[in-house]
Amino acid sequence: MSHTTKNKTKLLARVRRLKGQIEAIERSLEADASCGQVLNLAASVRGAVSGLTAELIEDHIREHVSNPDKDDNAARAQGAAELIEVVRAYLK
């Protein structure tokens, strides 16, 4: 079973929130909202997409590469943990 299947409900909830944020941008543009308001909405969407991407990558590493919490190979576990931290920092 894929990690996306195991976490399907949670991932779909995040995607639906993103959809709502995108629709808020659309409504703001249609209502001639100020550019500052639209930019703030766009920034929130960018953050939400980055968060979703980070979660998907982290889950992928844990499922298909190495789970640092369960891997008996200490070097591989450490490498996976470091990679997860880099992904989190990069996509923050």
Side-chain angles (χ1 to χ4, degrees), residues 37 51-52 70:
Q37 290 174 322
L52 174 63
K70 297 178 182 176

Side-chain angles (χ1 to χ4, degrees), residues 5-88:
T5 303
K6 285 189 268 186
N7 299 320
K8 184 177 185 176
T9 302
K10 183 172 77 167
L11 293 170
L12 284 172
R14 286 185 83 148
V15 168
R16 288 182 182 119
R17 281 193 301 275
L18 273 164
K19 181 180 175 184
Q21 289 176 304
I22 294 289
E23 289 170 349
I25 293 173
E26 181 180 16
R27 286 190 303 273
S28 293
L29 290 169
E30 287 175 346
D32 296 326
S34 72
C35 60
Q37 290 174 322
V38 176
L39 285 168
N40 281 329
L41 290 169
S44 69
V45 168
R46 181 177 177 261
V49 169
S50 291
L52 174 63
T53 303
E55 181 177 349
L56 289 167
I57 292 171
E58 180 179 341
D59 288 349
H60 182 80
I61 292 167
R62 290 182 184 280
E63 183 78 19
H64 301 291
V65 178
S66 172
N67 186 333
D69 301 327
K70 297 178 182 176
D71 200 323
D72 293 333
N73 182 317
R76 187 172 48 225
Q78 180 181 352
E82 291 170 356
L83 180 57
I84 288 168
E85 287 305 312
V86 168
V87 167
R88 285 181 186 164

